[in-house]
Amino acid sequence: MRPKSMGRLVALASTALLVAGAVSAGSATAVPASAGRGRAAQPLNWVALGDSYSADVMVPPWDDPADSDGCGRSGYSWEAMLKRDLNAAHPGWTNLTDVTCGGATVAHGVLGPQPAGALFGPPANGKDHGGWVAKPPQIDKVDADTDIVTVGIGGNDLGFGDIMNNCLAIGAEQTLPVKYCKTYYESEAGQHWLNEHWQIVEDGLQATLADIHSRAPKAKVFLLGYPAIAPTRFGCSYGNFHQLGTIRLTNDAPYLDAVQQQLNQKIADTAGENQATYVDTYTSSEGHGVCAGGSDRWMYGVFSNLVMPPGVDKPADPAEYQCPARDHVPAPLPKGEACTFIHPNYYGALNQRNEVEAAFQAAGLTP
């Protein structure tokens, strides 16, 4: 997760909005072209765009390292599960083109190419098998024949991972008085950084929806929010890297939750302004964040044992998915654990799947 170029994103936003100017609101909300046809003969064309939370990068299994493209898409991502289930119940319901990719932003992934240096897997050792190559813009898969577009983007544009890393580092400082990263982000410098990134998020979401509507004026568009990470501190303990690690629980954990809710609100507002449907995955996942236990826990901490889908075997060596070397993250990882860095586990992906299916049903897309 890297700070982004404002000029690049504004240029993308302006171009997409100009192109979309000729698209009427009525055409943007029209019934998909395939809706009235027999589903077996004419499947709905669904394109999935997004970042690591849509690719569900920490839900095994993944591609063999030799075949990995660096995006880390899971065979049990919410998209993969929903497609399998709907096509099993209604044969031929959809063709899914899933181009979600871990590390994606709007400028570098959705509307523009994602460079090889911004591909992180897993599997982390995919680079050992010839290297990863830059990915073309995800939006290129959306065209006039597209009936459904799902989008999960915005977290990397905000730099949420950078914020969490900063909170981990500040929280690890053993000084008195205790330091909080919330204090930094409320300072003049922190506010300036955040304001720039909030603008990047808003411009990027607007540009993405404008470009989708211009390419696929008959498609129904669904914009996903992010699931809850730590809406409550009950069950959490400072220094537990299966949870929030060295993020301070008194001030910084509630602050991060407030930032996440603000991000979701911006996503919801943008959907409402652009003839798209907002899919709320936060509300249903409250109480299922990193502080919960067992199957009630739908979100990994900084690192963790991997939660396996039913019938799926553990990877031979999950510890190969190491966290980058940082002073505030233990290295190497404990045996058998992976660098999950606050991502949905299998149960979290299953909840995403359920929320999107409900949104599809409400939109009249499922039989």
Side-chain angles (χ1 to χ4, degrees), residues 123-300:
N125 64 354
K127 294 180 181 178
D128 298 335
H129 297 264
W132 292 323
V133 298
K135 307 294 294 182
Q138 296 177 21
I139 195 71
D140 288 352
K141 296 298 184 181
V142 177
D143 58 28
D145 292 327
T146 302
D147 300 307
I148 303 169
V149 182
T150 56
V151 189
I153 202 71
N156 293 331
D157 298 83
L158 177 60
F160 194 76
D162 294 329
I163 296 172
M164 294 200 66
N165 272 320
N166 199 18
C167 289
L168 281 163
I170 292 173
E173 295 181 20
Q174 300 299 315
T175 58
L176 292 176
V178 173
K179 293 182 179 179
Y180 298 99
C181 74
K182 178 177 183 285
T183 304
Y184 168 74
Y185 288 108
E186 291 178 342
S187 71
E188 182 178 354
Q191 281 291 301
H192 178 74
W193 188 91
L194 274 175
N195 289 339
E196 284 191 339
H197 283 74
W198 282 125
Q199 193 62 55
I200 290 172
V201 170
E202 292 176 10
D203 290 345
L205 292 172
Q206 294 284 352
T208 297
L209 289 182
D211 203 344
I212 290 169
H213 286 320
S214 70
R215 292 168 182 259
K218 295 181 180 180
K220 286 188 178 291
V221 184
F222 299 83
L223 202 57
L224 276 71
Y226 289 87
I229 294 172
T232 173
R233 293 176 286 123
F234 179 77
C236 262
S237 57
Y238 172 81
N240 184 345
F241 279 85
H242 290 163
Q243 299 173 345
L244 293 174
T246 54
I247 292 175
R248 297 287 179 180
L249 301 177
T250 51
N251 284 337
D252 292 344
Y255 175 73
L256 287 171
D257 181 62
V259 170
Q260 185 186 12
Q261 291 196 58
Q262 186 177 353
L263 174 59
N264 281 339
Q265 188 60 56
K266 288 186 182 295
I267 295 170
D269 290 345
T270 305
E273 295 164 2
N274 291 273
Q275 298 83 47
T277 297
Y278 174 64
V279 182
D280 176 13
T281 66
Y282 181 95
T283 301
S284 56
S285 59
E286 287 187 89
H288 296 281
V290 296
C291 301
S295 60
D296 286 332
R297 185 177 188 232
W298 298 352
M299 184 73 61
Y300 290 115

Side-chain angles (χ1 to χ4, degrees), residues 168 241-245 300-304 323 329 338-342:
L168 281 163
F241 279 85
H242 290 163
Q243 299 173 345
L244 293 174
Y300 290 115
V302 179
F303 60 78
S304 186
C323 292
V329 176
C339 183
T340 47
F341 200 69
I342 322 292

